[in-house]
Amino acid sequence: MASAPSNTAPDAGTPGAVHRPDTARDLVKILVAGPFGVGKTTLIDSVSEIRPLHTEEHLSEASAEVDDLAGVREKSTTTVAIDFGRISLPGNVVLYLFGTPGQERFRALWDDIAYGALGALVLVDSRRLDASFDVLGLVEESGLPYAVAFNAFPDAPRHHGEERLRRALDLEPGTPMVTCDARDPDSSVDALLALVDHLIGHDTMETR
């Protein structure tokens, strides 16, 4: 899914557009992770209440030699550092969303981006499940609680049964799995809420 600037986010110059909301009680750093081309930038665009920050560059012939474009041949740009957005949730909880690069060549940035995060929403493309293994491994190695969201691409195959997908990705029984459309703000918020509920269940937000 192609990324596009959010048309619902306030202008950066709008008063209150970038500082934290006055009613904020819990400020939570969340990673939006996943393989190259899975829709991380699109999801952050769809939910951010501020103008999202992007560090995107156009793909070049040189990068095509090191980035796996299988299944995402139509993609023309890539995140080279982070995406950043913010969303306020009920209960005065504010999520700061940090989108991570999806290519192996940016793996060195992972520890810096993950520092201070309480959890991760891992986007998965069901057309290419194997592309998610490395990212899931990084999240698990970091010890971050996470939820998995299958981005609903129009031509994605229909899998039968949650347990089949859970086995394919080698997920623990308690790891939340949801389906979302990264282009749809409501659907993307629902995926983030599934992660927040998981963090609360882990007492992560109460004990930080």
Side-chain angles (χ1 to χ4, degrees), residues 2 29 31 74-75 87 94 108 133-134 153 196 201 208:
K29 179 179 179 179
L31 301 186
E74 73 283 358
K75 189 167 174 59
I87 180 172
V94 178
F133 294 160
D134 286 345
F153 289 88
V196 170
R208 65 192 175 83

Side-chain angles (χ1 to χ4, degrees), residues 145 174 176 193-206:
L193 286 172
L195 172 61
V196 170
D197 287 344
H198 186 51
L199 297 181
I200 292 172
H202 272 71
D203 294 329
T204 306
M205 292 177 64
E206 282 87 348

Side-chain angles (χ1 to χ4, degrees), residues 21-96:
D22 293 335
T23 57
R25 185 188 68 192
D26 291 310
L27 309 178
V28 182
K29 179 179 179 179
I30 295 295
L31 301 186
V32 179
F36 177 56
V38 77
K40 302 180 293 292
T41 299
T42 301
L43 184 141
I44 291 174
D45 272 344
S46 75
V47 301
S48 183
E49 63 198 13
I50 62 173
R51 177 171 291 175
L53 167 68
H54 299 307
T55 53
E56 288 205 318
E57 294 292 341
H58 286 282
L59 290 170
S60 64
E61 291 184 8
S63 67
E65 295 178 1
V66 294
D67 294 332
D68 183 4
L69 300 180
V72 288
R73 292 288 175 185
E74 73 283 358
K75 189 167 174 59
S76 61
T77 61
T78 183
T79 298
V80 295
I82 62 167
D83 293 318
F84 175 77
R86 186 191 75 197
I87 180 172
S88 300
L89 299 178
N92 299 327
V93 174
V94 178
L95 303 184
Y96 289 100

Side-chain angles (χ1 to χ4, degrees), residues 17-193:
V18 293
H19 69 60
R20 73 181 187 182
D22 293 335
T23 57
R25 185 188 68 192
D26 291 310
L27 309 178
V28 182
K29 179 179 179 179
I30 295 295
L31 301 186
V32 179
F36 177 56
V38 77
K40 302 180 293 292
T41 299
T42 301
L43 184 141
I44 291 174
D45 272 344
S46 75
V47 301
S48 183
E49 63 198 13
I50 62 173
R51 177 171 291 175
L53 167 68
H54 299 307
T55 53
E56 288 205 318
E57 294 292 341
H58 286 282
L59 290 170
S60 64
E61 291 184 8
S63 67
E65 295 178 1
V66 294
D67 294 332
D68 183 4
L69 300 180
V72 288
R73 292 288 175 185
E74 73 283 358
K75 189 167 174 59
S76 61
T77 61
T78 183
T79 298
V80 295
I82 62 167
D83 293 318
F84 175 77
R86 186 191 75 197
I87 180 172
S88 300
L89 299 178
N92 299 327
V93 174
V94 178
L95 303 184
Y96 289 100
L97 305 176
F98 288 75
T100 63
Q103 300 100 304
E104 175 66 23
R105 60 195 171 104
F106 295 117
R107 184 167 182 159
L109 297 173
W110 175 265
D111 288 341
D112 290 336
I113 298 173
Y115 180 79
L118 293 189
L121 181 67
V122 181
L123 287 181
V124 172
D125 183 348
S126 60
R127 302 170 302 176
R128 45 192 186 102
L129 292 177
D130 58 342
S132 300
F133 294 160
D134 286 345
V135 173
L136 286 168
L138 279 173
V139 175
E140 290 173 354
E141 288 172 15
S142 71
L144 290 174
Y146 66 95
V148 169
F150 291 90
N151 195 6
F153 289 88
D155 59 342
R158 294 185 178 273
H159 291 273
H160 300 286
E162 176 180 324
E163 287 308 311
R164 179 179 174 183
L165 286 171
R166 193 174 292 278
R167 288 195 303 272
L169 295 175
D170 195 24
L171 301 179
E172 294 292 333
T175 302
M177 282 178 33
V178 298
T179 299
C180 76
D181 184 337
R183 301 166 299 182
D184 184 313
D186 292 337
S187 181
S188 298
V189 168
D190 286 345
L192 290 167
L193 286 172

